[in-house]
DNA sequence: CTGAAAGCGCTTACAG
DNA sequence: CTGAAAGCGCTTACAG
């Protein structure tokens, strides 16, 4: 910075053209003669000039920055999503500005984020307060909820069909003849957990069955272990558990095998949700529902950038189909 | 953006003060009387004013943006690092601008990054070309290589003591009486893989031993599996393998147990490197070397921000101690 | 196609 | 402490 910065004025001087000509050369679609352009490019090259995109953002009102809010990256569904999202956005000329939120600092982080003149906001946090999301929407900046749905808010959303996924898992477990089917929820105030649970209950009801017991794991390893102990320690031990995401399911499987000495699936069936890479690992070989990460990212980018680039586009809610992935952790019908 | 944006001029008008007074109110440490400050804050609140940090960046020459370059997030060491890094930087008033690089688009991504007037650059990519790293350093922006070391470049670096970690693993395997010890490297042009390997060879030599065979896995699951097959299919089957990171080690363990029907560690010992969360999972229970992620992030933030904030500070290279984590995947002495 | 000029929203000496 | 003014690096009508 300080002294060394080369500006468009420096380039103009060396190329013996106006500063406007330099600016036009670096603005896609602006009208510059091939000759002028060549001189500018040559001078820029010699001086090592790089346009200051922040100045461009200030004047054009478009920063080409997309804020991505995430809460934590230990559920391995999110790193994969973040990677795909960044690549897709980069491919379209946008850059990800990353914001990590805690339950405790959400407000502070959102206020900070709104100062960056981002062109769009992607919230990939399971439980950001609706108030804050609404406040973001009020600024006029397009907002998209990723893997979450809040009908009352004027924002777009991309989710997978959690209801249907839960339902299919219920059918699978019921049809295999399990007698004491339990459910470990995630964060109870998250729409993913609610929908997966609701779909699961519905699917059981369709087979004339109900859940034997349930508990909440809060989408954390520790919470899942506590919840699993509660369920397994009941007088009637469960013979199947649907754990609301894979990340918790792994912890539950480890617990069951190590502390209870039970075999999976002979003594107890476990099913998860997400199909993160580890679900395919031989040691878990987890029956689960695949959230279509690639498709969700594609939809996210398409919807958000359409709103960013065409301004007045109405909010949209995309619900992508999920897919049952049958592996070895649950008995089959 | 467009019409709705409230600027400092709007706030000044409503508060009946100068635009300068508004600016000072939002500049930490600027001199404003409590009375003026209160009026400005009130007007700002009523209008929903948020300072435009991009404009501030243009004029002050400090964007408070830190570019973080990562290559891929499927090695779970990196998501954890990215999360910690973002939180730490946010706590210091900086924000992470994320760049995903592929081997194919490195140059393009770096050029793009340099247009963002970032205050600092963290390269957490195992193998970004030294040319490009040098080019970044030439701009005068502080550069820090994370988990990588290039002595010939005028940039800082933070690594863990990969040499010593490799050495300790060698001692462990040698002292446990293994006879045919093999090594699966990562990307051969990465300093982590080279150092871990070099330390391992050195450690074996100190016990009067040598490696029976080695192969490169390229830090990918597929590469690791190919490498492992090569080693195991030799006439003399290995009785111990050091796999250069945990991510590859899991794949190798799955392969060994499933396709070769071998028991770990009774038939063959496996050790990894990183101590990612999954290494503690019951099904892997992997003996490995812990890279001190927290300490590495702390050092990164401390070194980089010192350079950013005090300009002329010399580059520094931090090498943090690692720690052997003994679990159940390798026979003990 | 080209240049001179106004302007984006802000910070920061400068003079009072 | 305060305001008027210059200026950061750029884009974009405007007139030629």
């Amino acid at each position: 910075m300080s002294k060394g910065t080369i500006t468009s004025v420096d380039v103009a001087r060396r190329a013996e053209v106006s500063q406007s000509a330099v600016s036009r050369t670096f603005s896609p679609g602006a009208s510059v003669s091939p000759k002028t352009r060549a001189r500018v490019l040559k001078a820029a090259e010699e001086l090592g000039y790089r346009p200051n995109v922040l100045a461009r953002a200030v004047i054009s009102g478009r920063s080409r920055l997309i804020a991505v809010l995430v809460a934590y990256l230990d559920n391995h569904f999110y790193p994969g999503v973040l990677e795909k999202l960044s690549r897709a956005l980069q491919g379209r000329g946008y850059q990800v500005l990353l914001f990590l939120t805690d339950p405790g600092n959400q407000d502070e982080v959102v206020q900070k984020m709104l100062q960056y003149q981002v062109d769009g906001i992607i919230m990939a946090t399971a439980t950001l307060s609706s108030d804050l999301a609404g406040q973001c929407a009020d600024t006029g900046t397009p907002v998209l909820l990723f893997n979450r749905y809040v009908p009352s808010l004027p924002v777009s959303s991309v989710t997978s069909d959690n209801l249907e996924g839960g339902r299919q898992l219920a059918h699978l477990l019921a049809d295999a003849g399990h007698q004491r089917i339990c459910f470990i929820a995630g964060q109870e105030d998250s729409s993913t957990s609610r929908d997966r649970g609701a779909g699961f209950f519905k699917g059981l009801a369709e087979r004339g069955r109900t859940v034997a017991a349930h508990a909440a794991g809060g989408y954390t390893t520790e919470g899942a272990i506590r919840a699993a102990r509660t369920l397994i320690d009941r007088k009637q031990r469960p013979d199947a558990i649907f754990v609301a995401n894979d990340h918790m399911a792994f912890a539950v499987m480890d617990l069951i095998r190590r502390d209870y000495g039970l075999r999976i699936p002979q003594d107890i069936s476990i099913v998860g949700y997400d199909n993160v890479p580890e679900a395919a690992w031989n040691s878990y070989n987890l029956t689960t529902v695949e959230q279509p990460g690639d498709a969700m990212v594609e939809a996210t980018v398409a919807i958000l950038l359409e709103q960013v680039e065409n301004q007045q586009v109405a909010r949209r809610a995309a619900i992508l189909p999920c897919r049952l992935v049958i592996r070895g952790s649950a008995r089959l019908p």
Side-chain angles (χ1 to χ4, degrees), chain A:
Chain A
M1 316 284 106
S2 46
K3 74 234 33 201
T5 314
I6 311 292
T7 74
S8 58
V9 172
D10 300 320
V11 177
R13 195 172 301 137
R14 172 172 265 246
E16 298 183 296
V17 298
S18 69
Q19 183 270 331
S20 315
V22 176
S23 181
R24 290 193 186 98
T25 299
F26 290 96
S27 300
S31 72
V32 225
S33 70
K35 183 178 290 179
T36 304
R37 155 178 237 94
R39 298 181 57 167
V40 169
L41 256 18
K42 181 161 175 289
E45 168 79 43
E46 291 165 354
L47 294 172
Y49 170 67
R50 302 179 213 277
N52 182 332
V53 298
L54 262 30
R56 172 180 293 170
V58 169
I59 199 153
S60 67
R62 308 265 330 269
S63 65
R64 303 197 78 85
L65 251 26
I66 302 291
V68 174
L69 275 67
V70 294
Y72 64 125
L73 298 175
D74 47 344
N75 170 357
H76 295 317
F77 179 61
Y78 287 104
V81 162
L82 182 59
E83 175 174 344
K84 287 168 194 145
L85 209 45
S86 293
R87 290 194 200 278
L89 253 11
Q90 273 179 219
R92 300 276 301 258
Y94 291 82
Q95 222 55 48
V96 166
L97 192 58
L98 190 61
F99 294 85
L100 271 288
T101 68
D102 292 321
N105 72 356
Q106 289 191 164
D107 187 70
E108 187 188 336
V109 170
V110 167
Q111 301 314 327
K112 174 72 92 32
M113 178 199 73
L114 292 175
Q115 299 183 189
Y116 276 91
Q117 313 297 111
V118 295
D119 288 345
I121 300 169
I122 297 172
M123 298 189 168
T125 57
T127 57
L128 189 76
S129 92
S130 299
D131 266 18
L132 284 175
Q135 196 176 330
C136 293
D138 287 345
T139 64
T141 307
V143 174
L144 187 147
L145 303 182
F146 184 90
N147 208 13
R148 179 157 172 250
Y149 183 49
V150 181
S152 62
L153 245 39
V155 299
S156 292
S157 63
V158 171
T159 55
S160 67
D161 196 343
N162 291 297
L163 220 67
E164 176 60 19
R167 186 166 162 266
Q168 292 188 14
L169 288 172
H171 291 173
L172 182 76
L173 295 182
D175 293 348
H178 294 91
Q179 292 307 312
R180 294 172 304 284
I181 301 175
C182 291
F183 173 53
I184 294 180
Q187 288 185 248
E188 301 196 272
D189 55 345
S190 74
S191 67
T192 49
S193 179
R194 274 201 314 271
D195 288 352
R196 289 169 193 178
F200 192 66
F201 295 154
K202 180 169 176 238
L204 289 181
E206 288 168 352
R207 293 295 190 265
R209 308 288 303 282
T210 57
V211 88
H214 60 100
Y219 283 147
T220 69
T221 301
E222 302 71 31
I225 288 176
R226 269 196 306 276
R229 285 195 190 282
T230 308
L231 295 178
I232 300 174
D233 290 341
R234 287 161 50 89
K235 60 241 141 277
Q236 299 262 37
R237 201 180 71 207
D239 61 357
I241 305 181
F242 166 33
V243 190
N245 76 5
D246 292 352
H247 182 239
M248 295 195 294
F250 302 134
V252 170
M253 291 175 81
D254 276 353
L255 174 81
I256 284 177
R257 292 202 269 229
R258 189 189 48 206
D259 287 17
Y260 290 89
L262 300 176
R263 293 163 305 159
I264 299 170
Q266 296 86 340
D267 302 319
I268 183 167
S269 290
I270 302 293
V271 298
Y273 207 110
D274 279 346
N275 196 29
V276 297
E278 295 84 347
W281 288 3
N282 199 235
S283 302
Y284 295 100
N285 197 24
L286 180 65
T287 291
T288 188
V289 172
E290 176 175 285
Q291 286 220 92
D294 287 345
M296 288 172 73
V297 166
E298 272 174 43
T300 295
V301 171
I303 292 175
L304 189 71
L305 293 191
E306 190 182 344
Q307 293 187 114
V308 167
E309 292 170 357
N310 305 346
Q311 305 288 16
Q312 311 287 13
V313 178
R315 54 184 289 222
R316 285 169 52 190
I319 302 177
L320 301 177
C322 55
R323 183 174 68 87
L324 193 58
V325 179
I326 299 203
R327 296 204 182 87
S329 66
R331 292 205 308 276
L332 296 180

